Amino acid sequence: MPRKFPLVIGHRGAPAYRPEHSRSSYELALAMGVDAVEPDVVASKDGVLVVRHENEISTTTDVADHPEFADRKTTKRVDGQPLTGWFTEDFTWDELATLRTRERLPEVRASSASFDDAQGILRLTDVLDIVREGSAEHGREIGVVLEIKHATYFASIGLELAPLIIRDLKKAGWAEGELPLIIEAFESTVLAQLRAEGVSASYIYLIEASGRPYDQLVAHGRRAATYKATVTPHGLDELVGKVDGISVNKRMLLAADNTIVPDAHARGLKVFTWTARPENAFLAAKFRGDGERSAFGDYEAEWDAIARTGVDGVFVDHADLGVAFFRR
């Protein structure tokens, strides 16, 4: 029986080579052959869905170099954690459009950082257009894996994300199943909201290696199920009929004797994992090599261990390496 290849998903484009979530990062990932790309969405003050890793943007843009925005630096609690910096919800889209993208991990990704300040930030609708145009250019159907960030937090400040997502998907022609769409979040509440509204997508529940989902923590306090409990057989039983699959921190798949993939598959649930990266900084200890954090370790051995679990999708930063490895 032929081996099934996992989906190779360009994590924020191809951020090993260009600043994450920049236009060139997405275009490069498409050219390198990924099956889908993953934009993260947060909201501006005026309800525009902006593609950023987090709503705090000091490490991914040049906002700190704009004296006109100096007074907007502040400290907030996001998902219960204090953060200091500049936040998308304190800017209109027109203001955010004046910023330029920067590499988030310049000490590891010096080559990507060489493209700092060259491009503006994107809206969700921009990324959807890039993928649609890229599908036509490259002659294959390319999907979008849309990650929703901090939905409970944004709702608490009057910015409900689900209606904004529905608006943009409809505007771009992605809401009725015209093109491949996966929607994922660390919070099941927003996934349920979108599913109830009939958005045609596969719904994937993101799972951290520790902690509890913030929406469930707000609703139930310490009675909320942990992420680890969610991937037990009983926890997976609870997900059946609510989501189409889970996406787990790769550390969970690399743990000895874990049965996450077969347990999920037995219940008709897909399993994705994040994020396959070759640098020592991100590899499990036994796969790290000599050299600095930015040097490549024995990533092929780690990726082989991931592939052998039978996982259905893998998020990668080096789109070319991911396509070459996981499809061979």
Side-chain angles (χ1 to χ4, degrees):
M1 188 173 180
R3 177 180 167 186
K4 180 193 71 170
F5 297 114
L7 286 176
V8 179
I9 303 160
H11 183 236
R12 309 170 195 157
Y17 306 110
R18 301 290 188 276
E20 64 186 28
H21 293 313
S22 63
R23 177 175 291 273
S24 64
S25 182
Y26 285 109
E27 290 176 342
L28 185 58
L30 301 184
M32 287 177 166
V34 297
D35 299 302
V37 291
E38 183 233 27
D40 302 317
V41 294
V42 294
S44 69
K45 180 195 297 187
D46 50 348
V48 174
L49 288 177
V50 181
V51 178
R52 288 285 89 197
H53 172 56
E54 297 288 349
N55 56 325
E56 199 289 294
I57 54 174
S58 63
T59 60
T60 60
T61 74
D62 64 345
V63 65
D65 294 341
H66 286 250
E68 69 272 26
F69 299 140
D71 61 351
R72 300 200 202 174
K73 186 176 184 180
T74 187
T75 298
K76 301 187 180 193
R77 293 189 73 84
V78 179
D79 293 0
Q81 302 299 315
L83 286 174
T84 298
W86 288 263
F87 296 82
T88 58
E89 65 268 22
D90 295 330
F91 296 80
T92 65
W93 164 247
D94 285 346
E95 291 172 326
L96 290 170
T98 67
L99 305 180
R100 293 295 176 263
T101 60
R102 286 186 175 173
E103 168 56 42
R104 187 170 56 89
L105 302 167
E107 71 284 358
V108 178
R109 303 266 170 83
S111 176
S112 176
S114 70
F115 293 89
D116 281 358
D117 301 337
Q119 302 166 81
I121 67 176
L122 301 173
R123 298 162 293 186
L124 174 59
T125 51
D126 296 324
V127 175
L128 296 175
D129 288 344
I130 290 169
V131 175
R132 184 189 298 280
E133 292 162 7
S135 295
E137 177 184 352
H138 298 293
R140 68 181 197 279
E141 197 171 63
I142 305 170
V144 167
V145 181
L146 170 57
E147 181 177 345
I148 305 166
K149 287 293 185 78
H150 310 303
T152 298
Y153 165 78
F154 277 109
S156 75
I157 60 172
L159 284 166
E160 294 278 356
L161 295 186
L164 303 179
I165 291 167
I166 293 169
R167 176 201 67 195
D168 283 3
L169 290 175
K170 287 182 176 179
K171 179 180 178 182
W174 287 73
E176 306 297 334
E178 302 94 330
L179 292 166
L181 176 63
I182 297 169
I183 300 177
E184 62 178 12
F186 286 101
E187 300 175 278
S188 59
T189 302
V190 69
L191 296 179
Q193 291 169 347
L194 290 166
R195 192 166 188 147
E197 290 295 325
V199 176
S200 181
S202 293
Y203 290 87
I204 300 293
Y205 192 17
L206 284 160
I207 305 292
E208 259 290 9
S210 62
R212 291 176 169 85
Y214 186 64
D215 59 334
Q216 300 304 304
L217 192 60
V218 169
H220 304 294
R222 290 295 166 181
R223 292 183 293 110
T226 64
Y227 282 120
K228 284 185 177 180
T230 303
V231 297
T232 63
H234 173 72
L236 293 170
D237 286 340
E238 295 294 309
L239 297 181
V240 175
K242 297 176 182 176
V243 295
D244 300 293
I246 57 175
S247 184
V248 301
N249 187 313
K250 68 171 183 172
R251 295 202 304 271
M252 303 175 82
L253 294 188
L254 294 170
D257 302 323
N258 88 86
T259 58
I260 293 171
V261 174
D263 288 346
H265 284 175
R267 292 157 177 81
L269 299 170
K270 293 182 178 180
V271 182
F272 294 174
T273 193
W274 45 276
T275 302
R277 296 163 166 143
E279 297 102 337
N280 284 326
F282 308 114
L283 293 172
K286 67 179 181 179
F287 300 114
R288 293 173 197 154
D290 297 331
E292 300 179 352
R293 296 176 74 245
S294 59
F296 286 11
D298 190 5
Y299 72 90
E300 290 193 332
E302 183 183 273
W303 293 8
D304 185 62
I306 291 170
R308 288 179 183 277
T309 66
V311 71
D312 301 288
V314 181
F315 291 85
V316 299
D317 282 3
H318 294 70
D320 53 344
L321 299 183
V323 168
F325 182 86
F326 288 104
R327 292 207 190 126
R328 73 185 184 189

